[in-house]
Amino acid sequence: MFAKKKQPPIKSLIAVGSHIEGHLKFTDGLRVDGEITGDIRSNTEHPSILVISETATVTGTIHADHVIINGRVNGPVHAKHMLELQPKAQIVGDVFYKALEMHQGAVITGQLQPI
């Protein structure tokens, strides 16, 4: 009756200690535990999920269907469907979302803009 949409599988991982400089495009699911300097964008033809863990730092623009953040993001975040901000999330930039779930402790320095 109230079935949730099945989330795509997380098939890619940027591990702790890894640092990527440049733009990144992914399909299905991506988990970031390391550091990325550049934009992250999902393939728009398939549902996507992006997880930014508490050890991760992203400097750039994020575009994905479902975004879960528990780390640091310096740049705008565009969540086409759902944005989840966990307690250690820190965003410096504007946030665009269809649905938002924000836990106590999450911090946004920027504007919240529903789409």
Side-chain angles (χ1 to χ4, degrees), residues 84-95:
E84 293 181 43
L85 301 178
Q86 301 293 321
K88 294 185 179 179
Q90 294 182 352
I91 300 174
V92 177
D94 294 341
V95 175

Side-chain angles (χ1 to χ4, degrees), residues 82-86 99-103:
M82 177 71 170
L83 175 61
E84 293 181 43
L85 301 178
Q86 301 293 321
L100 175 66
E101 180 180 322
M102 187 170 177
H103 292 253

Side-chain angles (χ1 to χ4, degrees), residues 96-114:
F96 304 86
Y97 58 91
K98 186 172 183 180
L100 175 66
E101 180 180 322
M102 187 170 177
H103 292 253
Q104 184 176 353
V107 176
I108 299 172
T109 304
Q111 294 184 358
L112 296 166
Q113 299 185 14

